[in-house]
Amino acid sequence: MSVEFPSDVRPQVTEASKHGLLDGDQVKVLFDLPGFSLIHAWIKKNYPLSLHTHDTDCLYFIVSGELRLGNELLGKGDGFFVPANVPYTYLAVGDNGVEILEFRHSGQFNFKSLSKGNFWNKAIETCKAEQAAWQHAISPLALNAQHDDTENAK
């Protein structure tokens, strides 16, 4: 995946990174063959995901947690489709964020940020406030597994 930020916000992105931007999400490629990829992403609570596009279509499926997409609150079992080159963002809500599967018809795609300076100023403050929580967060699936183990032990 290639990542692109407008040159005028790169200093703010760097500053947000210094304060934990990279602690706010975890992304893992589960499957990648020519013409198809599957990614698992855990977006932690309040992570400032910039308005962005990808150069390929993407189908999302929510595995655990909740997110706000526009005015819609989506949760476990919900999904949404974003066509190539359509700008979008979402916000992970709930204490443990959201875990999603991303299905694409390509293993190679871009992430092109469209957010301007004001977004990044707020993102820096969010990163400062959330960094410690993000570093110690437990994913919704891991919490569910712990809960299941506790229930099975009874």
Side-chain angles (χ1 to χ4, degrees):
M1 173 173 69
S2 67
V3 180
E4 302 171 40
F5 293 98
S7 59
D8 60 328
V9 300
R10 288 184 190 144
Q12 291 164 299
V13 174
T14 298
E15 185 69 15
S17 297
K18 288 179 187 175
H19 295 288
L21 181 67
L22 301 178
D23 295 320
D25 71 340
Q26 291 180 359
V27 178
K28 181 178 181 182
V29 176
L30 301 176
F31 189 80
D32 184 8
L33 285 176
F36 185 78
S37 67
L38 175 60
I39 294 173
H40 173 268
W42 174 27
I43 310 300
K44 298 175 187 177
K45 179 183 177 184
N46 295 328
Y47 178 76
L49 180 64
S50 72
L51 180 68
H52 66 282
T53 64
H54 301 285
D55 57 1
T56 186
D57 295 344
C58 189
L59 176 65
Y60 293 88
F61 179 79
I62 300 172
V63 177
S64 188
E66 294 180 323
L67 62 81
R68 182 160 304 283
L69 177 67
N71 293 325
E72 298 290 323
L73 182 64
L74 304 174
K76 182 178 178 180
D78 289 331
F80 58 100
F81 177 77
V82 179
N85 302 309
V86 172
Y88 75 104
T89 188
Y90 56 82
L91 179 66
V93 295
D95 290 337
N96 302 302
V98 65
E99 289 182 81
I100 58 176
L101 295 176
E102 302 178 2
F103 301 86
R104 289 190 175 83
H105 283 293
S106 176
Q108 300 296 316
F109 58 92
N110 72 352
F111 176 100
K112 184 176 181 181
S113 176
L114 304 173
S115 292
K116 301 297 181 192
N118 192 42
F119 169 86
W120 288 106
N121 291 333
K122 291 178 184 177
I124 291 166
E125 296 308 312
T126 298
C127 291
K128 288 178 180 178
E130 298 288 348
Q131 184 176 17
W134 290 342
Q135 289 174 341
H136 297 97
I138 300 172
S139 74
L141 283 178
L143 285 173
N144 288 343
Q146 288 175 356
H147 180 271
D148 291 347
D149 289 346
T150 303
E151 289 296 314
N152 291 336
K154 291 181 180 179

